[in-house]
Amino acid sequence: MSLGVQFAAMLAVGAFMVSPKTALAQRDIAFVDVSVLPMGKQEILVHQTVLVRRGMIHTIGRVDSMQLARGTRRIDGRGRFLVPGLADMHTHDDDPADVPLFLANGVTTTLHMGGSSAWYRHTLRAKIAAGQAIAPYPLSALLLDGPGDAGGVGVVPASAAEARRVVAQARFNGYDYIKIYSRVQPDIFDAVMSEAARVGITVIGHVVRSVGLARSLTSGERMLAHGEEYLTVFDDDDHPDSTKIPELVRLTTATRAWVTPNLMGIQRIAEQWGKGDPVVEGWLASADAHLMRPALREKWRSKGFTRLSGTYDAQAGFVRQLVPALYRAGVPLLAGTDTPDIVGSEPGFALHDEIELLARAGLTTFDALATATRNCGQFVAGTVPGAEAFGQVAVGYRADLLLVEVNPLEHLETLRQPLGVMVRGTWLPAAKLLSWLNQPRRAYDAAERDNTAFLRVVDSIGVKAAVVRFRAVLARERPLKIPELQLLRASRQHFRQGRFEIAESLYRLTITLYPRSWASYQGLGAVLEKVGRTREAAASSRRALALNPKITDH
């Protein structure tokens, strides 16, 4: 097995873990003679020494006034700049294999906005607290939706009473926020908002279509997760009226709501809407996209924006006008990317796109950087009881830091290539970060070639013979085994072509590799029904429904 394959397989089970003994024995670390962007206000403190102890910023002072204890590890800061670690306040990524993508881009905090695993909410957070893991700090929101949600990532309460129970238990289940989604009905909305206020958990997310923007905000929703949520005020969002922007801004300021513009996301949607699959393949050919695991690359191929009719240009243009108006009115903004759910939003890399787009939209470079640093820390401090301070280079704050070559206020692009990243006091120099990226890339490319070759062989000799030939490939651990979506796509293709025996075998292979794949059980049921094996078909369909009760909402 090659080094790249070994690394990627290790990463899937947590190669970023460190031993408790190592973490507890970590020496003090000092950035010596560095220029500091504290981000509390727009200033640069020159010739500073920043001392980090036990994962927190302990002392900051002039280099000529600081006496460092013997054994302190010194990092040369001369001519360099120290800024807070970055936060992505809208992700849907809890895969361990993507941790290096975030860290290499300086992302030290993430807010998962729906569908996070128990591992992400409980295990990872506990290991980080114990000094046993190096990863962005994981914040999480519980997604609550209404009828029509078949995605399997949220909860659809059947009654107001059930909604109250879910909200009341959210913190116990590891969630920091409630994310309310578009399809919630009015009685459920009222129950969620009242119970959230009672138990003290903040509601964020989408505009609830059944009650509208004004009621969503005036009822206490603290943050809108997309700039395009404002498009819900139009009966026809293909023709948004920009003269409404002042009214929308006034409503937002009156309710003191925060906004995550997600400019990068709406731009990516507009760039691919109706443009054909080659657009996505072009993005997948980029160097950054080749750092993504095969399952994620295949997920992008399954998205349908490129095959829609018309354009999304008018909607994107409206949001590009709205965001600077919100900014000028003093609405606090947060940087978020919706990675990796929006095609073209690579984990980690997308946050730099968002920061730079905000600067081009009219924010000063300081304020654009603040959307991914200070603002995030302030929002979490005001909405999550007991949260650690982060987002500034200040005493008592979490030691999540980036060391960069030049002043980011003059060149934001320097953030894309940090000289090193500190995560809760653990220093990761650029060489280590680059090795974390480049080794799995070779393994991912090899895996993708193997996966494609396997499915081609299936076409010619059938599944059983192909499995024998590719047994070693299929035995690999995630993220190297064939992505579920790739197998499902092939299964459906053979089903449509009437090759039911191959389709059945592929669905059964998918279930072997992904035992909780409800879509595979559903597809298998359709195949069995087609060939007259009705009893087996019913059993497979029941299993699909047990894995995802929302199937009935299709």
Side-chain angles (χ1 to χ4, degrees):
M1 184 182 288
S2 70
L3 176 62
V5 172
Q6 289 182 49
F7 180 86
M10 288 169 58
L11 191 59
V13 296
F16 53 89
M17 300 297 179
V18 295
S19 72
K21 184 177 180 181
T22 301
L24 292 174
Q26 188 180 68
R27 294 178 294 170
D28 288 357
I29 299 177
F31 296 88
V32 180
D33 200 8
V34 70
S35 294
V36 176
L37 276 69
M39 293 306 296
K41 60 181 179 179
Q42 186 165 344
E43 61 179 345
I44 298 177
L45 307 177
V46 299
H47 301 301
Q48 300 291 301
T49 291
V50 177
L51 178 64
V52 173
R53 178 174 295 165
R54 294 186 176 276
M56 307 297 286
I57 299 173
H58 184 268
T59 313
I60 303 174
R62 290 277 305 184
V63 65
D64 53 12
S65 68
M66 291 273 290
Q67 297 295 320
L68 298 176
R70 194 177 199 175
T72 299
R73 180 180 179 184
R74 297 166 184 253
I75 298 172
D76 186 5
R78 287 174 296 179
R80 298 166 173 178
F81 291 78
L82 193 67
V83 301
L86 307 177
D88 189 332
M89 296 296 282
H90 192 141
T91 81
H92 292 277
D93 196 332
D94 58 359
D95 196 301
D98 296 340
V99 165
L101 297 178
F102 286 112
L103 294 183
N105 283 283
V107 180
T108 55
T109 301
T110 55
L111 170 55
H112 196 296
M113 289 287 278
S116 63
S117 63
W119 174 85
Y120 176 90
R121 298 193 307 275
H122 295 291
T123 306
L124 179 59
R125 188 177 291 187
K127 287 185 178 295
I128 288 173
Q132 298 172 14
I134 305 168
Y137 187 79
L139 296 163
S140 189
L142 171 63
L143 192 156
L144 294 183
D145 203 358
D149 169 34
V153 300
V155 175
V156 179
S159 65
E162 183 182 348
R164 292 189 186 93
R165 286 194 298 272
V166 169
V167 171
Q169 295 169 2
R171 279 242 170 79
F172 175 78
N173 289 321
Y175 295 100
D176 303 286
Y177 297 98
I178 299 296
K179 178 185 178 181
I180 200 157
Y181 210 67
S182 312
R183 290 172 286 236
V184 168
Q185 297 304 297
D187 59 329
I188 304 295
F189 173 82
D190 290 339
V192 168
M193 300 308 295
S194 63
E195 186 66 13
R198 188 186 73 81
V199 301
I201 189 167
T202 298
V203 178
I204 59 179
H206 287 210
V207 169
V208 176
R209 303 298 179 91
S210 65
V211 304
L213 173 67
R215 186 169 159 195
S216 291
L217 293 182
T218 56
S219 296
E221 193 170 340
R222 290 293 308 279
M223 181 262 278
L224 290 180
H226 304 273
E228 59 264 39
E229 290 305 306
Y230 288 89
L231 293 167
T232 59
V233 303
F234 302 110
D235 293 331
D236 176 13
D237 70 8
D238 285 337
H239 301 90
D241 181 2
S242 60
T243 64
K244 279 188 169 289
I245 287 178
E247 174 189 342
L248 299 175
V249 170
R250 284 192 294 272
L251 172 63
T252 309
T253 55
T255 55
R256 303 178 69 182
W258 296 62
V259 176
T260 302
N262 196 204
L263 279 177
M264 183 280 310
I266 197 168
Q267 175 170 304
R268 289 288 183 273
I269 292 172
E271 287 170 350
Q272 62 192 285
W273 191 289
K275 304 297 194 302
D277 291 344
V279 174
V280 174
E281 292 301 324
W283 285 334
L284 288 171
S286 71
D288 291 348
H290 273 276
L291 299 170
M292 301 191 310
R293 51 197 157 88
L296 189 46
R297 291 168 58 82
E298 187 61 28
K299 183 177 181 180
W300 280 14
R301 289 188 174 100
S302 72
K303 295 283 185 176
F305 288 128
T306 59
R307 296 180 287 278
L308 297 173
S309 60
T311 75
Y312 207 63
D313 295 339
Q315 293 90 333
F318 176 84
V319 175
R320 282 196 296 269
Q321 293 180 67
L322 172 68
V323 170
L326 293 169
Y327 166 67
R328 290 191 297 269
V331 174
L333 305 178
L334 301 171
T337 64
D338 217 352
T339 186
D341 278 10
I342 294 179
V343 177
S345 59
E346 300 99 336
F349 297 95
L351 186 61
H352 297 291
D353 296 334
E354 181 70 9
I355 295 169
E356 292 169 13
L357 279 172
L358 287 167
R360 289 202 287 274
L363 278 67
T364 66
T365 53
F366 174 81
D367 287 337
L369 180 55
T371 66
T373 55
R374 180 197 63 191
N375 293 9
C376 304
Q378 289 177 342
F379 179 74
V380 173
T383 53
V384 179
E388 288 181 331
F390 72 96
Q392 298 182 42
V393 185
V395 173
Y397 277 60
R398 200 163 67 220
D400 293 343
L401 303 165
L402 270 67
L403 185 66
V404 295
E405 191 72 57
V406 298
N407 183 356
L409 301 186
E410 297 175 359
H411 302 283
L412 279 172
E413 61 271 18
T414 193
L415 299 170
R416 292 180 180 269
Q417 295 181 314
L419 299 170
V421 176
M422 177 168 278
V423 188
R424 193 180 282 267
T426 297
W427 174 242
L428 304 171
K432 179 182 285 292
L433 294 169
L434 288 173
S435 72
W436 279 11
L437 293 180
N438 291 329
Q439 290 181 19
R441 173 178 177 165
R442 292 191 292 272
Y444 291 163
D445 285 347
E448 198 161 58
R449 288 193 298 270
D450 287 343
N451 297 345
T452 301
F454 169 78
L455 292 175
R456 285 176 180 161
V457 172
V458 166
D459 288 341
S460 60
I461 64 175
V463 178
K464 293 180 181 178
V467 167
V468 172
R469 185 178 297 185
F470 282 81
R471 192 179 302 280
V473 173
L474 297 172
R476 290 176 183 167
E477 291 297 320
R478 290 186 72 191
L480 298 178
K481 67 185 180 185
I482 298 180
E484 179 186 356
L485 285 171
Q486 194 172 14
L487 288 167
L488 287 172
R489 186 169 62 172
S491 304
R492 290 164 184 153
Q493 180 181 355
H494 286 289
F495 177 78
R496 287 193 297 270
Q497 294 172 347
R499 303 173 74 182
F500 300 130
E501 183 178 354
I502 290 180
E504 178 185 348
S505 297
L506 277 174
Y507 278 127
R508 292 192 185 281
L509 173 62
T510 311
I511 290 167
T512 299
L513 295 174
Y514 300 93
R516 297 190 61 79
S517 174
W518 64 267
S520 298
Y521 281 103
Q522 186 183 41
L524 178 60
V527 172
L528 296 171
E529 183 72 29
K530 200 75 173 178
V531 298
R533 292 152 64 185
T534 55
R535 184 174 296 179
E536 293 176 74
S540 187
S541 298
R542 284 195 298 271
R543 179 58 179 155
L545 188 60
L547 289 169
N548 182 11
K550 302 171 189 176
I551 294 173
T552 52
D553 292 327
H554 274 301

